[in-house]
Amino acid sequence: MKDTLVILNLKFDTSILYVENIRDLIVAGSTHIELDFTSMTTIEPFGIVYFSNFIKSISRIRGLEISCVYIDKDVSYAKHMGFFKNCGFDIGAEPRDSFPTKATSYVPITILDVGSLRQEAIDSYKEVGDIIENYSINLAKLLTSQKDDTPLVDTLTYCFREIIRNVVEHSGSKKITFCAQYWPYLGKAEIVVLDRGKGILNSLNENTTLPKINDDKEALNFALLPSISSKVPYAKKRKSRNESFWKNSGFGLYMTHRIAGLGGDFFVASGKHGLRWVRDQKTDHHVRLKGTILRLLIETNNITELQDTLRVFREDGFALARQLTEMEIEPSSASLMLTKHRTK
Ligand SMILES: Nc1ncnc2c1ncn2[C@@H]1O[C@H](COP(=O)(O)OP(=O)(O)OP(=O)(O)O)[C@@H](O)[C@H]1O
Ligand SMILES: [Mg+2]
């Protein structure tokens, strides 16, 4: 028997919900799921990446058929973004396999090879962080059609760089998937980065100086705290900086979530759990992922000089990191600590 799921849009909440709906159908023994896109309106980068990634992963389940119906003229954007091909349907454009080279207010699904980034670094005698930085600057400029280092370009560059660097440095994934859109008239930009690597929980648990982290939810809350890293000994004073500039200090997720917090929206999910911060409201979400996804929705009109903003966040972060050092808090208290810190 065929089960049909009508997809009305792929915004943030609906994408998460539809994935749960589909999983329920599979658990209930469905053998054929038809996705009905004939009434679909808005689709946004998070939905494009998260939903298609899920469909692709379940298309490997033996004995399960996934099909879709759509009205061609109504899905030209989805086709262009590589959405259908990434689901596994032979419709529309393939996901891109290289960084964009032309100005565009939307970046279709792009799947990069981590090995090639590393090779590029070796070939040019640079660190992979520098290679990612260069691509991130370009990406930010093309997305915003701004040629100079404006505060918006600097901010988007910073965010792209930190979340792409995390995939390369921590996930163990061979590929990085990203997708982005800038809506100048709404004053919003959305960046989504996904990997199918080991996940935040496994990565942090590799650091034996950290207390044992029990589940994805604890891992996410803990990872957001400044100075928490799989690569930094816990609760020890760090040596003064003399090594590579890109050495991990556990500030990447903390800083990006504060930047998105400037009127925007931050979401990180890994394994089965997702955390979303909208202003000072935190919500928890069930997700289905092999690996990690980040979504930053940036309120572009709230962006002022990046260096000033970062300085404030960094100072806040250092103060919080100092408290952590003194208290050696457990992962289960991380959420409370971050909430108190953000609403202070
Ligand atoms: N994509 C990912 N896959 C697996 N683990 C991740 C991923 N992103 C982050 N993490 C985990 O979360 C931790 C915190 O990330 P964060 O970016 O805040 O710090 P860092 O990368 O260790 O240091 P910094 O960003 O300051 O160089 C990482 O050390 C890693 O254990
Ligand atoms: Mg990082």
Side-chain angles (χ1 to χ4, degrees), residues 65-266:
E65 183 185 344
I66 314 275
S67 62
C68 73
V69 285
Y70 61 99
I71 298 169
D72 198 57
K73 68 173 177 39
D74 294 345
V75 293
S76 50
Y77 176 73
K79 279 165 66 180
H80 175 74
M81 294 299 269
F83 169 75
F84 291 104
K85 278 270 164 74
N86 205 47
C87 288
F89 301 126
D90 193 12
I91 303 165
E94 287 283 355
R96 293 179 50 93
D97 61 3
S98 58
F99 280 97
T101 49
K102 286 201 299 259
T104 162
S105 59
Y106 44 86
V107 178
I109 298 183
T110 305
I111 305 178
L112 295 180
D113 189 59
V114 175
S116 307
L117 285 179
R118 289 194 201 285
Q119 192 56 46
E120 199 176 329
I122 293 169
D123 293 345
S124 54
Y125 304 102
K126 287 188 176 145
E127 297 218 28
V128 73
D130 294 317
I131 302 289
I132 295 172
E133 165 99 10
N134 286 342
Y135 280 123
S136 300
I137 295 173
N138 256 332
L139 207 51
K141 288 186 173 168
L142 293 173
L143 188 65
T144 55
S145 291
Q146 296 180 2
K147 294 201 173 60
D148 306 315
D149 294 335
T150 59
L152 179 58
V153 166
D154 287 349
T155 304
L156 294 181
T157 301
Y158 184 92
C159 295
F160 272 126
R161 185 191 76 204
E162 288 305 312
I163 50 185
I164 294 177
R165 209 157 65 77
N166 274 353
V167 177
V168 174
E169 291 171 0
H170 306 295
S171 74
S173 173
K174 290 193 178 124
K175 305 273 183 195
I176 305 173
T177 301
F178 66 85
C179 182
Q181 167 112 41
Y182 174 44
W183 297 271
Y185 52 97
L186 295 177
K188 285 185 197 305
E190 179 170 349
I191 298 177
V192 176
V193 175
L194 167 130
D195 68 69
R196 294 170 59 79
K198 68 176 73 141
I200 294 184
L201 174 65
N202 289 329
S203 170
L204 283 177
N205 272 336
E206 284 170 3
N207 180 347
T208 52
T209 69
L210 288 175
K212 173 106 176 69
I213 305 163
N214 296 302
D215 54 37
D216 291 315
K217 184 176 176 183
E218 277 187 11
L220 293 175
N221 281 299
F222 210 33
L224 278 181
L225 290 175
S227 81
I228 299 300
S229 166
S230 58
K231 311 247 160 101
V232 178
Y234 188 43
K236 287 218 179 88
K237 270 216 180 88
R238 264 174 302 114
K239 293 186 209 103
S240 61
R241 279 226 312 232
N242 55 0
E243 291 183 58
S244 153
F245 175 77
W246 299 112
K247 197 163 163 56
N248 301 89
S249 58
F251 267 65
L253 287 179
Y254 172 77
M255 297 294 276
T256 42
H257 107 286
R258 291 294 307 268
I259 291 172
L262 292 165
D265 189 337
F266 175 90

